[in-house]
Amino acid sequence: MELLLKLVALVLRLVNCVLEPILARIGGPKRQEPFPVIRDEVLRVPAVELAEQIRTGSLRSVDVVRAYVLRIREVNPLINAVVEERFEAALAEAVAADETVAIARRNGDSLEELAKRSPLLGVPITVKESCSVKGLSLGGGVVRRQNITAEADGEAVRLLREAGAVVLLVSNTPEYCLGFEAYNNVTGWTLNPYDPRRSAAGSSGGEGALIGAGASVCGVGSDLAGSIRIPALFSGIFGHKPTAGVVSIKGHMPVCTDAHFDQYLSLGPMCRYAKDLPLLLEVMSGANAAKLRLNEPVDVTKLKIYYPQKLDLRINAVPIAPEIRECLRSAVKHFQNKGIYSETINFKHFRDSMQIASTELQTLAEVPSVFANPNANLLWELVKVVVGQSEHTFAALFMNILSATKRTVSEKDRKRYLRMSAEFKQDITERLGTDGVFLMPSFPKPALRHYESFGHVTGFMYTAVINALGLPATQVPLGFNRHGLPVGIQVVAGPNQDRLCLRVAQELESALGGWQPPK
């Protein structure tokens, strides 16, 4: 397997060398007009504050929802992130939320009671299309599924709506969620709000772009190998991949029949403000929220901050960009300046992350296929893609090719890497304990140019290994590079220690700026 991966890495390095100068020349024109500024200050209010102001009557839900509808209509022509909206129904639900507040006040109900019953009452949210919203598209960018709608809310969406959240729309994904960019042959490309020549990433790219553009305060994403965290990096927002199995994946599309699928796939919150993450995660976790102790205070001065001495994976075709390295240094320096314990650490198998992540994900049985016919000829479909005659995208076919490589892996290698995975998880879990976090890159570079992701496949292993280990991780925005593209890192903690990631995210947001709108 290692020889195969070295060969893949070599090929990808050559692809990078060829692609980057070409894409830099043909990547399309730079945006000439400034991105629309946020004029309504309600769009700058965190979700938890919106909820509180709606409960007290100082804001009406209908005004908040209307403000977001107008913002979405203003920016979506520039980013193409919306698959299907439900604005009229959302406004009606907002009116009902305001009436609920009025009734509660007339009845003398306490604000605490109302907050306990409906902590997100009247707050608008957006949802990645693959996370079922009753009555809205569940096509997943697949041509033959484009008329399919969800028959019921997925479990996480149901819990958010029961908490009072108002769903505005479902957002764009790659075909069948199989791709590194939010592109498909039904709804097309989602563009990065900070630079239309750049990718919004995948597979939660529509969510990331909407939230980064200030067109959503928070949303629901899903993450199998970085599909929340990398879009969050590219669009300059926060995204959290929870501990494996904490948030139900019921209602997610595509469906994998493997009983262990929820140990790799996670649904989680994406948002512009770190203070919103704990409440969103608590609601989405349902009965499992107690495991996370999200309401337990975390004294950041008592934490232990760990970071890798060597950032590059053993087999990696994508070097870590200087601005990502600087992000990591800035975050560590902040904690050191506060006298908080920090230490470089080289986990035994960290540099084998690519092999570990690949092997773990290849253990899944009955992986969904983009093909209606399971006996379809992959090579013939590739030919049809090249001549523009396939209903599928090259990205989806490329992912099928990667999945097929597991047939070339010997049983001996598979057992060896699974053993290394178990040792890595035990090592990092014991070392981080209940008071440690690990700061590391989530991707080697800021937002890539469109199509460039094919030469950077190995870079996704920085997030994929966290899924393989089942650990929680939060993507944190930490400013911009010299081209105005968002940069940041991910914060990793031990199983069920999600609150540590979220607290560190809030600390870094306060110190280093957090989300800033496109200019």
Side-chain angles (χ1 to χ4, degrees), residues 128 130 140-142 173-184 202-204 224 227 252-254 261 367-371 392-401 403 454:
K128 180 181 181 179
S130 61
V142 181
T173 75
E175 181 184 7
Y176 233 48
C177 291
L178 295 173
F180 304 121
E181 299 192 49
Y183 162 73
N184 59 71
S203 59
S204 306
L224 179 62
S227 292
H252 188 273
M253 192 288 301
F261 193 41
V367 175
S369 171
V370 295
F371 300 122
H392 302 295
T393 60
F394 176 76
L397 300 183
F398 183 73
M399 295 299 288
N400 270 264
I401 293 170
S403 177
F454 296 111

Side-chain angles (χ1 to χ4, degrees), residues 273-336:
Y273 304 103
K275 69 190 303 181
D276 292 334
L277 289 170
L279 177 57
L280 293 168
L281 181 57
E282 181 177 26
V283 171
M284 293 175 69
S285 301
N288 287 327
K291 298 178 182 178
L292 304 183
R293 297 177 291 161
L294 293 168
N295 295 317
E296 185 177 295
V298 176
D299 184 348
V300 73
T301 65
K302 299 290 183 10
L303 293 179
K304 295 175 182 175
I305 309 296
Y306 298 101
Y307 55 102
Q309 188 173 34
K310 295 181 179 179
L311 294 176
D312 296 323
L313 303 183
R314 182 162 295 161
I315 301 173
N316 182 27
V318 189
I320 302 293
E323 56 263 55
I324 300 296
R325 292 177 184 273
E326 186 56 37
C327 273
L328 185 58
R329 281 193 289 265
S330 296
V332 172
K333 187 175 181 180
H334 167 72
F335 291 111
Q336 290 174 337

Side-chain angles (χ1 to χ4, degrees), residues 73 185 272 285 300 309 321 351 362 396 404:
R73 286 176 171 161
N185 287 333
R272 282 182 276 143
S285 301
V300 73
Q309 188 173 34
R351 297 189 67 209
Q362 287 172 358

Side-chain angles (χ1 to χ4, degrees), residues 423-460:
E423 291 173 358
F424 189 0
K425 182 172 183 178
Q426 181 178 359
D427 187 17
I428 194 169
T429 299
E430 291 177 355
R431 193 64 179 267
L432 297 183
T434 59
D435 61 355
V437 296
F438 185 51
L439 310 184
M440 63 179 286
S442 47
F443 194 74
K445 300 176 70 174
L448 302 172
R449 296 180 185 276
H450 297 294
Y451 297 105
E452 199 178 350
S453 58
F454 296 111
H456 292 74
V457 173
T458 54
F460 291 84

